[in-house]
């Protein structure tokens, strides 16, 4: 049995995704922690096989033990000479135990090191099976009697609410895989008791960049992924989402108490050995704003104490092996310097590139086709529209428009994606809805008309953007 796959650390901790680079080629599923020196190292193997993550989601009604399902899936995979590519694996109808207990089996992350839509053959692969059952309860909110916004929300992971979030977030440059590797390396170092005086690392991640680029969602999705991938070591995972802004919008004397209350709760959680706790602090720039206001005298000096209390509490948490602090900010320059220093992974999440814009719109259109809002395109293979990389494989970008080998609907989708330059991922995900609302006949199902309207809507949205 292979241990939980532990990703490798990358040589550099500062990552910028403004100018996307080629995705790193190491798989996430790596068992041995050898440091990597180059950004594009060759794929790592375990016993000369690629370690491939297979995620198995149990039915909500299942009462089977995770280990039993894991073994049943491993046996099923051993007995099948199948190829491995990202996507769902059919559950054999004659395997009643799996049929009764399993909702879906999904192969993950192979595209990171298999290029050109290739597949891996069964003899090249060592599957690493992760079984989990989604928690159906929603977030548990911190209740505020005074009608102020809650200062934190708590989820038990893996939560139903975040199911599919990781897959829905599209970045060009291997950002997701790197974050997964960084986080897993941080956990491994702590687990193995690496001396922090000799090798220094924190478990603090900072994602910064323009609004609507998916930073908060990515933090939540990362926590969800890690809760699935690390569940044999940490069977209980929680995510605490702190609204830094709400901490400072209250009376400052109250803020101090809130910070203390919050961290006392987190401290209690991390004291349990099997717990893995993620603390998400959104809008972390408000820490800097509070400090600055205090220095200029426009806010009570209490605010300095609150910021300092927060930083001290974060330092205290550093000694706990089972906590990861995820933070986001829209403005890098305004982030508290003391805070930036503490984060050891600082990743810039930039606006979506053409490739990413096409992929976001493609996933939206496929969803509308699958739900019968628009009909599928003539000449399109079922529900799926060709991916941007499969189009680019055939042709150089300049040729995409001048050839008959690219289907007309892909050309239109590329045009829409080009027209969306400057829109955030959040605006892109809204665009198909706005386009539909702008149709003269919302029940026409005509896909060509829909794409034309989407191009027009993109133009309108861009013209209405604030300078
Ligand atoms: N790269 C992306 N791929 C797919 N969807 C995206 C992407 N970027 C943003 N989105 C969509 O936008 C939504 C909003 O993103 P989110 O709130 O996480 O962004 P943010 O960067 O934290 O924004 P803000 O800083 O304004 O809070 C996401 O849930 C997702 O649907």
């Amino acid at each position: 049995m292979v241990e939980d796959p532990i990703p490798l650390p990358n040589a550099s901790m500062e990552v910028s995704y403004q100018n996307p680079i080629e995705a790193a080629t190491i798989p996430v599923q790596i068992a041995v922690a050898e440091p990597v020196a180059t950004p594009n190292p060759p794929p790592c193997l375990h016993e000369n096989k690629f370690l491939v993550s297979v995620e198995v989601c149990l039915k909500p009604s299942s009462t089977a033990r995770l280990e039993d399902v894991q073994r049943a899936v491993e046996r099923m995979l051993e007995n099948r000479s199948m190829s491995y590519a990202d996507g769902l694996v059919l559950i054999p109808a004659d395997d009643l135990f799996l049929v009764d207990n399993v909702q879906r089996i999904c192969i993950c992350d192979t595209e990171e090191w298999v290029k050109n839509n290739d597949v891996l053959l069964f003899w090249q692969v060592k599957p690493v099976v992760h079984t989990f059952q989604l928690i159906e309860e929603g977030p548990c909110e911190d209740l505020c009697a005074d009608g102020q916004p809650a200062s934190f929300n708590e989820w038990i992971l893996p939560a139903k609410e975040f199911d599919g979030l990781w897959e829905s977030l599209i970045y060009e440059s291997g950002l997701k895989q790197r974050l997964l590797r960084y986080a897993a390396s941080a956990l491994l170092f702590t687990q193995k008791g690496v001396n922090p005086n000799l090798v220094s690392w924190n478990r603090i991640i900072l994602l910064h960049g323009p609004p609507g680029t998916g930073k908060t969602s990515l933090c939540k999705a990362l926590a969800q992924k890690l809760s699935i991938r690390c569940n044999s070591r940490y069977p209980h995972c929680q995510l605490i989402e702190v609204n830094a802004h709400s901490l400072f919008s209250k009376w400052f004397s109250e803020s101090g108490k809130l910070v203390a209350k919050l961290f006392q709760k987190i401290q209690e959680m991390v004291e349990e050995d099997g717990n893995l706790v993620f603390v998400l602090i959104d809008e972390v720039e408000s820490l800097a704003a509070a400090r600055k206001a205090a220095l200029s005298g426009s806010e009570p000096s209490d605010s300095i104490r609150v910021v300092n209390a927060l930083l001290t509490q974060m330092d205290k948490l550093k000694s706990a092996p089972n906590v990861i602090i995820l933070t986001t900010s829209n403005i890098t320059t305004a982030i508290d310097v003391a805070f930036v220093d503490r984060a050891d992974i600082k990743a810039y999440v930039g606006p979506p590139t053409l490739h990413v814009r096409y992929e976001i719109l493609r996933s939206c259109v496929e969803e509308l086709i699958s739900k019968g809002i628009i009909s599928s395109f003539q000449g399109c293979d079922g529900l799926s529209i060709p991916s941007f990389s499969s189009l680019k494989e055939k042709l150089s970008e300049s040729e995409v428009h001048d050839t008959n080998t690219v289907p007309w609907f892909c050309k239109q989708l590329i045009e829409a994606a080009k027209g969306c330059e400057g829109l955030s991922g959040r605006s892109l995900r809204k665009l198909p809805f706005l386009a539909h609302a702008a149709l003269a006949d919302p029940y026409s199902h005509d896909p060509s008309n829909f794409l034309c309207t989407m191009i027009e809507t993109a133009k309108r949205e861009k013209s209405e953007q604030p300078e």
Side-chain angles (χ1 to χ4, degrees), residues 143-444:
L143 295 174
C144 290
D146 54 2
Q148 295 270 6
S151 53
F152 65 90
N153 284 325
E154 181 190 345
W155 282 271
I156 301 176
L157 300 178
K160 187 165 180 233
E161 215 167 329
F162 304 144
D163 192 29
L165 187 58
W166 179 263
E167 291 71 22
S168 77
L169 293 167
I170 306 165
Y171 297 98
E172 193 155 24
S173 45
L175 169 64
K176 294 197 296 184
Q177 298 309 328
R178 283 186 191 207
L179 290 177
L180 205 50
R181 285 201 297 269
Y182 282 136
S185 294
L187 287 175
L188 176 72
F189 272 40
T190 326
Q191 200 177 313
K192 296 279 182 194
V194 174
N195 183 344
N197 298 322
L198 299 177
V199 182
S200 159
W201 79 102
N202 299 315
R203 283 170 306 280
I204 303 181
I205 296 175
L206 167 68
L207 300 184
H208 61 99
T213 45
K215 301 177 296 296
T216 311
S217 310
L218 187 53
C219 288
K220 290 178 176 170
L222 178 66
Q224 173 98 340
K225 259 290 151 187
L226 287 166
S227 76
I228 293 170
R229 299 282 171 98
C230 301
N231 70 358
S232 55
R233 169 67 187 88
Y234 298 107
H236 306 290
C237 291
Q238 291 97 351
L239 169 67
I240 307 271
E241 181 183 27
V242 184
N243 184 338
H245 189 68
S246 83
L247 283 182
F248 294 104
S249 65
K250 305 198 175 216
W251 301 107
F252 280 107
S253 57
E254 284 299 303
S255 294
K257 281 189 213 147
L258 272 174
V259 172
K261 183 176 146 202
L262 175 65
F263 278 86
Q264 192 191 342
K265 187 180 166 72
I266 297 170
Q267 202 63 49
E268 280 164 20
M269 286 176 170
V270 299
E271 275 163 20
E272 299 284 324
D273 182 49
N275 266 0
L276 179 58
V277 182
F278 298 92
V279 181
L280 166 58
I281 308 180
D282 243 338
E283 303 178 30
V284 84
E285 66 271 10
S286 49
L287 298 185
R291 236 212 267 246
K292 212 168 140 199
L295 290 176
S296 70
S298 61
E299 295 276 8
S301 61
D302 261 358
S303 69
I304 283 259
R305 277 202 288 277
V306 177
V307 176
N308 289 346
L310 202 70
L311 293 173
T312 316
Q313 295 286 3
M314 280 167 68
D315 279 343
K316 266 206 215 156
L317 277 182
K318 255 172 70 174
S319 60
N322 49 346
V323 60
I324 293 189
I325 300 180
L326 307 158
T327 61
T328 74
S329 175
N330 285 341
I331 340 158
T332 309
T333 46
I335 307 174
D336 201 286
V337 178
F339 176 77
V340 173
D341 267 1
R342 280 167 171 78
D344 48 7
I345 302 165
K346 302 159 203 132
Y348 175 76
V349 185
T353 58
L354 176 65
H355 180 153
V356 172
R357 296 197 298 274
Y358 176 93
E359 288 301 323
I360 292 178
L361 293 181
R362 178 168 83 98
S363 65
C364 294
V365 172
E366 283 180 353
E367 172 67 6
L368 294 185
I369 295 174
S370 79
K371 298 290 150 61
I373 304 276
I374 53 174
S375 14
S376 60
F377 300 103
Q378 239 181 359
C380 183
D381 169 24
L383 289 180
S384 71
I385 299 170
S387 69
F388 193 78
S389 40
S390 73
L391 296 176
K392 272 191 81 180
E393 250 164 55
K394 291 187 212 141
L395 312 152
S396 73
E397 207 176 296
S398 58
E399 284 174 300
V400 164
H401 273 284
D402 316 323
T403 175
N404 292 329
T405 53
V406 172
W408 62 269
F409 50 86
C410 293
K411 289 181 188 169
Q412 266 186 310
L413 209 52
I414 291 175
E415 199 180 324
K418 284 189 172 159
C420 292
E421 189 172 2
L423 293 185
S424 68
R426 181 188 283 134
S427 309
L428 283 167
R429 289 238 175 259
K430 269 189 231 153
L431 196 65
F433 169 74
L434 296 176
H436 187 267
L439 287 174
D441 175 6
Y443 300 104
S444 81

